[in-house]
Short mmCIF file of all heavy atoms in Angstrom, two decimals:
data_model
loop_
_atom_site.label_atom_id
_atom_site.label_comp_id
_atom_site.label_asym_id
_atom_site.label_seq_id
_atom_site.Cartn_x
_atom_site.Cartn_y
_atom_site.Cartn_z
N ALA A 28 16.36 38.30 102.51
CA ALA A 28 16.51 38.12 101.06
C ALA A 28 16.21 36.69 100.64
O ALA A 28 16.30 36.35 99.46
CB ALA A 28 17.91 38.52 100.63
N GLY A 29 15.85 35.84 101.59
CA GLY A 29 15.48 34.47 101.26
C GLY A 29 16.64 33.50 101.20
O GLY A 29 16.48 32.37 100.72
N PRO A 35 29.37 27.68 105.81
CA PRO A 35 30.34 28.42 104.98
C PRO A 35 30.03 29.90 104.94
O PRO A 35 30.94 30.74 105.00
CB PRO A 35 30.16 27.78 103.61
CG PRO A 35 29.65 26.41 103.89
CD PRO A 35 28.79 26.55 105.09
N ALA A 44 34.24 40.39 108.57
CA ALA A 44 34.00 41.31 109.69
C ALA A 44 35.30 41.59 110.45
O ALA A 44 35.52 42.70 110.91
CB ALA A 44 32.95 40.73 110.63
N PRO A 49 40.27 44.96 102.32
CA PRO A 49 39.64 44.10 101.33
C PRO A 49 40.37 42.76 101.21
O PRO A 49 41.58 42.69 101.38
CB PRO A 49 39.78 44.88 100.03
CG PRO A 49 40.05 46.28 100.45
CD PRO A 49 40.75 46.21 101.74
N MET A 55 40.48 34.68 101.08
CA MET A 55 39.46 34.21 102.03
C MET A 55 39.58 32.71 102.22
O MET A 55 39.61 32.22 103.34
CB MET A 55 38.07 34.51 101.49
CG MET A 55 37.67 35.95 101.62
SD MET A 55 35.94 36.15 101.15
CE MET A 55 36.10 37.52 100.04
N ARG A 56 39.66 31.98 101.11
CA ARG A 56 39.75 30.53 101.23
C ARG A 56 40.99 30.14 102.03
O ARG A 56 40.91 29.34 102.96
CB ARG A 56 39.81 29.88 99.86
CG ARG A 56 39.80 28.35 99.98
CD ARG A 56 40.41 27.69 98.77
NE ARG A 56 41.76 28.20 98.47
CZ ARG A 56 42.48 27.79 97.45
NH1 ARG A 56 41.96 26.89 96.65
NH2 ARG A 56 43.68 28.28 97.23
N ARG A 65 37.50 24.36 106.61
CA ARG A 65 37.54 23.93 105.22
C ARG A 65 36.45 24.60 104.40
O ARG A 65 35.29 24.67 104.80
CB ARG A 65 37.37 22.41 105.18
CG ARG A 65 37.11 21.85 103.82
CD ARG A 65 38.38 21.27 103.21
NE ARG A 65 38.16 20.99 101.78
CZ ARG A 65 38.55 21.82 100.82
NH1 ARG A 65 39.17 22.93 101.11
NH2 ARG A 65 38.33 21.52 99.56
N ASP A 67 35.57 25.43 99.92
CA ASP A 67 36.00 25.34 98.53
C ASP A 67 35.97 26.73 97.91
O ASP A 67 35.11 27.56 98.23
CB ASP A 67 35.06 24.42 97.76
CG ASP A 67 35.62 24.07 96.38
OD1 ASP A 67 35.37 24.84 95.43
OD2 ASP A 67 36.30 23.05 96.28
N SER A 70 32.71 27.85 96.48
CA SER A 70 31.74 28.33 97.45
C SER A 70 32.04 29.76 97.85
O SER A 70 31.15 30.57 98.03
CB SER A 70 31.76 27.43 98.68
OG SER A 70 31.43 26.13 98.32
N GLN A 80 24.73 40.64 96.30
CA GLN A 80 23.31 40.83 95.99
C GLN A 80 22.56 41.45 97.14
O GLN A 80 21.72 42.32 96.97
CB GLN A 80 22.66 39.47 95.71
CG GLN A 80 22.62 39.03 94.26
CD GLN A 80 21.83 37.75 94.13
OE1 GLN A 80 20.74 37.62 94.67
NE2 GLN A 80 22.40 36.79 93.43
N ARG A 86 32.67 44.93 95.66
CA ARG A 86 34.01 44.60 95.16
C ARG A 86 34.74 45.85 94.73
O ARG A 86 34.14 46.79 94.22
CB ARG A 86 33.90 43.67 93.95
CG ARG A 86 33.32 42.34 94.31
CD ARG A 86 33.25 41.47 93.09
NE ARG A 86 32.00 40.74 93.05
CZ ARG A 86 31.91 39.44 92.75
NH1 ARG A 86 32.97 38.76 92.45
NH2 ARG A 86 30.74 38.84 92.76
N CYS A 96 40.21 40.82 91.64
CA CYS A 96 39.01 41.28 92.34
C CYS A 96 39.13 41.07 93.83
O CYS A 96 39.45 39.98 94.28
CB CYS A 96 37.82 40.53 91.80
SG CYS A 96 36.30 40.99 92.59
N GLU A 99 35.21 43.70 100.12
CA GLU A 99 35.29 44.53 101.30
C GLU A 99 33.93 44.61 101.97
O GLU A 99 32.92 44.69 101.31
CB GLU A 99 35.76 45.93 100.91
CG GLU A 99 36.05 46.80 102.06
CD GLU A 99 36.15 48.23 101.59
OE1 GLU A 99 35.52 48.53 100.57
OE2 GLU A 99 36.83 49.03 102.24
N LEU A 106 24.72 58.63 100.73
CA LEU A 106 24.51 59.52 99.59
C LEU A 106 23.05 59.51 99.17
O LEU A 106 22.30 58.62 99.54
CB LEU A 106 25.36 59.08 98.42
CG LEU A 106 26.77 59.65 98.39
CD1 LEU A 106 27.37 59.49 97.01
CD2 LEU A 106 26.71 61.13 98.75
N HIS A 111 25.25 52.46 95.30
CA HIS A 111 26.44 52.16 96.06
C HIS A 111 27.51 53.19 95.78
O HIS A 111 27.60 53.70 94.67
CB HIS A 111 26.99 50.79 95.69
CG HIS A 111 26.26 49.68 96.36
ND1 HIS A 111 26.02 49.68 97.71
CD2 HIS A 111 25.72 48.55 95.88
CE1 HIS A 111 25.35 48.59 98.01
NE2 HIS A 111 25.16 47.88 96.92
N SER A 115 37.86 54.27 97.11
CA SER A 115 39.00 53.58 97.69
C SER A 115 40.29 54.35 97.50
O SER A 115 40.60 54.78 96.40
CB SER A 115 39.16 52.20 97.06
OG SER A 115 37.96 51.47 97.18
N ILE A 124 44.59 49.64 101.55
CA ILE A 124 43.45 50.26 100.93
C ILE A 124 42.53 50.78 102.03
O ILE A 124 42.17 50.05 102.95
CB ILE A 124 42.67 49.26 100.07
CG1 ILE A 124 43.62 48.62 99.04
CG2 ILE A 124 41.50 49.92 99.38
CD1 ILE A 124 42.94 47.60 98.17
N MET A 127 37.21 56.02 101.67
CA MET A 127 37.06 57.44 101.96
C MET A 127 35.58 57.78 101.99
O MET A 127 34.82 57.36 101.12
CB MET A 127 37.77 58.26 100.89
CG MET A 127 37.69 59.75 101.08
SD MET A 127 38.68 60.59 99.83
CE MET A 127 37.59 60.43 98.41
N GLY A 133 29.33 62.60 95.36
CA GLY A 133 28.19 62.02 94.66
C GLY A 133 27.43 63.03 93.84
O GLY A 133 27.21 62.84 92.64
N SER A 134 27.03 64.11 94.47
CA SER A 134 26.22 65.10 93.76
C SER A 134 27.05 65.85 92.73
O SER A 134 26.55 66.18 91.65
CB SER A 134 25.60 66.08 94.76
OG SER A 134 26.59 66.59 95.63
N ALA A 146 22.45 60.14 83.01
CA ALA A 146 21.77 60.04 84.30
C ALA A 146 22.55 59.10 85.21
O ALA A 146 22.52 57.89 85.05
CB ALA A 146 20.34 59.55 84.12
N LEU A 147 23.22 59.67 86.19
CA LEU A 147 24.11 58.89 87.06
C LEU A 147 23.34 58.01 88.02
O LEU A 147 22.37 58.44 88.65
CB LEU A 147 25.02 59.84 87.84
CG LEU A 147 26.16 59.17 88.60
CD1 LEU A 147 27.13 58.54 87.63
CD2 LEU A 147 26.88 60.18 89.48
N CYS A 158 49.69 56.96 101.32
CA CYS A 158 48.91 57.04 102.54
C CYS A 158 49.65 57.86 103.59
O CYS A 158 50.82 58.18 103.43
CB CYS A 158 48.58 55.66 103.08
SG CYS A 158 49.95 54.85 103.92
N LYS A 159 48.95 58.16 104.67
CA LYS A 159 49.50 59.00 105.73
C LYS A 159 50.87 58.52 106.19
O LYS A 159 51.83 59.29 106.27
CB LYS A 159 48.52 58.98 106.92
CG LYS A 159 48.74 60.08 107.94
CD LYS A 159 47.55 60.16 108.88
CE LYS A 159 47.59 61.42 109.74
NZ LYS A 159 46.31 61.62 110.47
#
Side-chain angles (χ1 to χ4, degrees):
Chain A
M55 284 187 229
R56 184 204 53 181
R65 168 100 192 98
D67 191 273
S70 300
Q80 267 186 47
R86 295 180 222 225
C96 179
E99 188 194 26
L106 273 197
H111 280 310
S115 305
I124 305 179
M127 180 176 76
S134 50
L147 190 65
C158 78
K159 196 167 192 170

